[in-house]
């Protein structure tokens, strides 16, 4: 849906993925005039595993979408395969929901955008943000382009700007955003495949991902059921890399090899549809995430879990947290408040997660430690909780305390802490 663009608004949100649509919906519900703009025309696809962890489910429930999500598919946990073992690990619950789901991003993002417009947001699609007009240290307006460089150009003035334009964040780059690759980042590909196990109540991850020559790679493969109605699974592979140890592999042949290895186990079809790949900044490895009246959220701010590649939950969370800042009285200086809030919520967890993920990129370490870990249900249950960042601020049990203790010590040793 394309709406004529107003000339100004209280809150301008650029990017209508989960982060942007969530931020827009919350800002509108909290009384602000909001415009939500995206370069694509919806519905549109997005490279993603489509998985919704309990952390993401909790945010969708806050938006009132519990029953909508449950009408798609529900999973009870992770089935972990690798090094001769298969473990069934239930979602831990606690202060988060005890179930997960998976919804194709083509549908999820379109629905979240509709939720935003029903909350009073003005939606504009097919409009690419190409520049920003500054007034001192504030963004006064964003310049949009329709129909390519020779097409229409227009401005929308705003009091506050939310930058939610994804992993590449072209508008973020205009404003000075920089991605640092000395810490771990992800290289991932996904596809869709018909599957007899499309209604499997478990998501499957193969932690012993092997390359085309049989070598163990620093990553994992996944098969996420999308429900009986779809008859499909989201099939993908992801590997970890750093500037010192870059990933040197062909993602699409690796996905095909992974599908061939597990075709019989899941009743997979022959064709991998709509293959796509992406690079993922992770663990807050982004600097200049905010200015006087603007802020980056979600993938644009590097809010992706280094241990499992999950970003939908952080997108929804950061969108809500920023909208709540907008509801406060006074003119909040986001250049100070927003990086501090991100570090408070995610800094310790992202620091230890990217440190652990970086170790996986060291040759021969995963083949040595993987078999030991997979022999312990207790260790893998803890790993599921830590890897999925399913530890909330309210959790006070021993596993939560250990995770926070490790995070504090990790961030103290970081040459560049998250979001700095």
């Amino acid at each position: 849906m394309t709406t004529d663009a107003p000339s100004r608004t209280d809150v301008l949100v650029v990017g209508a993925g989960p982060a942007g649509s969530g931020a827009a919906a919350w800002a509108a519900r909290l009384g602000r005039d909001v415009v939500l703009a995206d370069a694509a025309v919806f519905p549109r696809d997005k490279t993603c595993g489509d998985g919704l962890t309990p952390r993401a489910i909790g945010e969708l429930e806050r938006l009132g979408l519990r029953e909508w999500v449950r009408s798609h598919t529900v999973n009870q946990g992770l089935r972990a395969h690798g090094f001769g073992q298969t473990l069934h690990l239930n979602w831990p619950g606690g202060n988060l929901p005890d179930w997960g789901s998976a919804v194709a991003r083509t549908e999820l993002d379109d629905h979240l955008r509709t939720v935003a417009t029903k909350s009073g947001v003005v939606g504009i699609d097919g409009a690419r943000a190409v520049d920003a007009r500054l007034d001192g240290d504030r963004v006064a307006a964003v310049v949009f382009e329709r129909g390519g460089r020779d097409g229409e150009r227009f401005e929308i003035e705003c009091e506050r700007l939310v930058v939610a334009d994804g992993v590449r964040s072209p508008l973020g780059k205009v404003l000075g955003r920089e991605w640092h690759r000395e810490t771990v980042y992800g290289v991932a590909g996904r596809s869709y495949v018909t599957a007899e196990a499309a209604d499997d109540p478990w998501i499957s991850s193969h932690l012993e991902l092997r390359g085309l020559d049989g070598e163990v790679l620093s990553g994992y493969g996944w098969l996420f059921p999308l429900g009986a109605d779809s008859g499909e699974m989201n099939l993908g592979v992801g590997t970890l890399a750093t500037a010192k140890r870059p990933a040197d592999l062909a993602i699409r042949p690796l996905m095909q090899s992974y599908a061939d290895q597990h075709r019989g186990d899941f009743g997979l079809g022959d064709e991998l549809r709509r293959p796509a790949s992406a690079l993922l900044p992770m663990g807050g490895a982004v600097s200049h995430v905010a200015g006087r009246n603007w802020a980056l959220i979600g993938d644009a701010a590097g809010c992706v879990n280094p241990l499992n590649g999950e970003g939908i939950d952080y997108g929804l969370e950061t969108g809500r947290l920023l909208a709540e800042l907008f509801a406060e009285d006074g003119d909040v200086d986001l250049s100070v408040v927003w990086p501090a809030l991100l570090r408070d919520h995610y800094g310790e967890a992202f620091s230890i997660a990217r440190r652990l993920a970086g170790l996986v990129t060291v040759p021969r370490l995963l083949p040595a430690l993987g078999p030991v870990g997979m022999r312990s249900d207790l260790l893998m249950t803890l790993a599921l909780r830590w890897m999925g960042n399913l530890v909330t601020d309210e959790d006070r049990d021993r596993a939560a305390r250990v995770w926070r203790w490790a995070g504090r010590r990790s961030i103290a040793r970081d040459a560049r802490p998250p979001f700095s």
Side-chain angles (χ1 to χ4, degrees), residues 31-50:
R32 297 296 186 261
D33 292 329
V34 184
V35 172
L36 174 62
D38 197 279
V41 176
F42 281 67
R44 61 96 176 97
D45 194 13
K46 170 72 185 295
T47 305
C48 183
D50 298 336

Side-chain angles (χ1 to χ4, degrees), residues 173-295:
K173 290 179 183 177
V174 168
L175 296 170
R177 177 248 202 196
E178 187 177 358
W179 170 21
H180 306 284
R181 301 193 189 191
E182 64 267 23
T183 55
V184 69
Y185 62 91
V187 183
R190 74 98 236 258
S191 62
Y192 293 96
V193 61
T194 59
E196 295 174 6
D199 60 347
D200 192 337
W202 299 88
I203 62 173
S204 286
S205 291
H206 292 84
L207 307 181
E208 186 182 357
L209 178 64
R210 293 191 173 270
L212 302 182
D213 296 325
E215 73 279 17
V216 177
L217 301 177
S218 58
Y220 73 100
W222 70 78
L223 283 156
F224 293 170
L226 295 173
D229 290 343
S230 76
E232 290 188 324
M233 284 183 158
N234 181 307
L235 178 148
V237 295
T239 63
L240 298 169
T242 64
K244 290 183 178 179
R245 291 185 285 272
D248 182 19
L249 51 84
I251 286 289
R252 295 192 183 190
L254 181 59
M255 279 197 294
Q256 187 63 62
S257 174
Y258 175 63
D260 293 341
Q261 292 172 42
H262 302 290
R263 178 163 287 110
D265 297 334
F266 297 90
L268 305 180
D270 293 330
E271 181 186 3
L272 299 185
R273 299 190 308 104
R274 292 158 51 199
S277 58
L279 296 180
L280 299 175
M282 293 174 155
V286 170
S287 60
H288 205 46
V289 295
R292 185 70 178 78
N293 69 329
W294 60 269

Side-chain angles (χ1 to χ4, degrees), residues 1-3 36-42 113 123-129 144-148 152 154:
M1 176 181 66
T2 301
T3 301
L36 174 62
D38 197 279
V41 176
F42 281 67
R113 184 171 179 271
I124 302 170
D125 57 15
R128 184 179 301 277
F144 291 91
E145 183 179 84
R146 275 200 181 115
E152 172 194 9
F154 60 94

Side-chain angles (χ1 to χ4, degrees), residues 43-336:
R44 61 96 176 97
D45 194 13
K46 170 72 185 295
T47 305
C48 183
D50 298 336
L52 298 171
T53 66
R55 196 174 184 116
I57 296 297
E59 288 299 317
L60 292 169
E61 288 183 338
R62 287 175 182 262
L63 284 166
L65 297 179
R66 173 187 170 87
E67 296 309 316
W68 180 82
V69 177
R70 290 189 70 91
S71 71
H72 289 75
T73 186
V74 172
N75 57 64
Q76 63 193 62
L78 172 70
R79 183 194 290 118
H81 308 261
F83 305 101
Q85 304 289 326
T86 297
L87 302 176
H88 290 78
L89 308 170
N90 286 287
W91 296 121
N95 289 296
L96 291 170
D98 61 358
W99 59 282
S101 185
V103 180
R105 288 292 296 273
T106 303
E107 182 180 359
L108 176 69
D109 289 15
D110 191 50
H111 189 75
L112 286 171
R113 184 171 179 271
T114 299
V115 168
T117 58
K118 287 183 176 179
S119 299
V121 173
V122 175
I124 302 170
D125 57 15
R128 184 179 301 277
V130 295
D131 204 354
R133 176 164 58 83
L134 302 180
D135 180 7
D137 61 353
R138 303 175 69 91
V139 172
V142 172
V143 181
F144 291 91
E145 183 179 84
R146 275 200 181 115
R149 294 184 179 180
D150 297 327
E152 172 194 9
R153 278 204 169 201
F154 60 94
E155 285 188 354
I156 300 179
E157 296 181 352
C158 59
E159 292 298 316
R160 293 186 174 98
L161 170 64
V162 180
V163 182
D165 54 351
V167 293
R168 296 180 181 178
S169 191
L171 183 58
K173 290 179 183 177
V174 168
L175 296 170
R177 177 248 202 196
E178 187 177 358
W179 170 21
H180 306 284
R181 301 193 189 191
E182 64 267 23
T183 55
V184 69
Y185 62 91
V187 183
R190 74 98 236 258
S191 62
Y192 293 96
V193 61
T194 59
E196 295 174 6
D199 60 347
D200 192 337
W202 299 88
I203 62 173
S204 286
S205 291
H206 292 84
L207 307 181
E208 186 182 357
L209 178 64
R210 293 191 173 270
L212 302 182
D213 296 325
E215 73 279 17
V216 177
L217 301 177
S218 58
Y220 73 100
W222 70 78
L223 283 156
F224 293 170
L226 295 173
D229 290 343
S230 76
E232 290 188 324
M233 284 183 158
N234 181 307
L235 178 148
V237 295
T239 63
L240 298 169
T242 64
K244 290 183 178 179
R245 291 185 285 272
D248 182 19
L249 51 84
I251 286 289
R252 295 192 183 190
L254 181 59
M255 279 197 294
Q256 187 63 62
S257 174
Y258 175 63
D260 293 341
Q261 292 172 42
H262 302 290
R263 178 163 287 110
D265 297 334
F266 297 90
L268 305 180
D270 293 330
E271 181 186 3
L272 299 185
R273 299 190 308 104
R274 292 158 51 199
S277 58
L279 296 180
L280 299 175
M282 293 174 155
V286 170
S287 60
H288 205 46
V289 295
R292 185 70 178 78
N293 69 329
W294 60 269
L296 274 62
I297 62 174
D299 289 355
C303 291
V304 176
N305 189 329
L307 291 173
N308 68 0
E310 166 70 3
I312 296 174
D313 47 7
Y314 303 111
L316 292 167
E317 282 182 2
T318 53
R320 174 177 56 81
L321 291 170
L322 186 58
E324 290 171 353
L325 276 182
F326 293 166
E328 295 181 4
D329 294 332
D331 186 15
V332 177
D333 185 353
L334 295 176
S335 67
V336 176

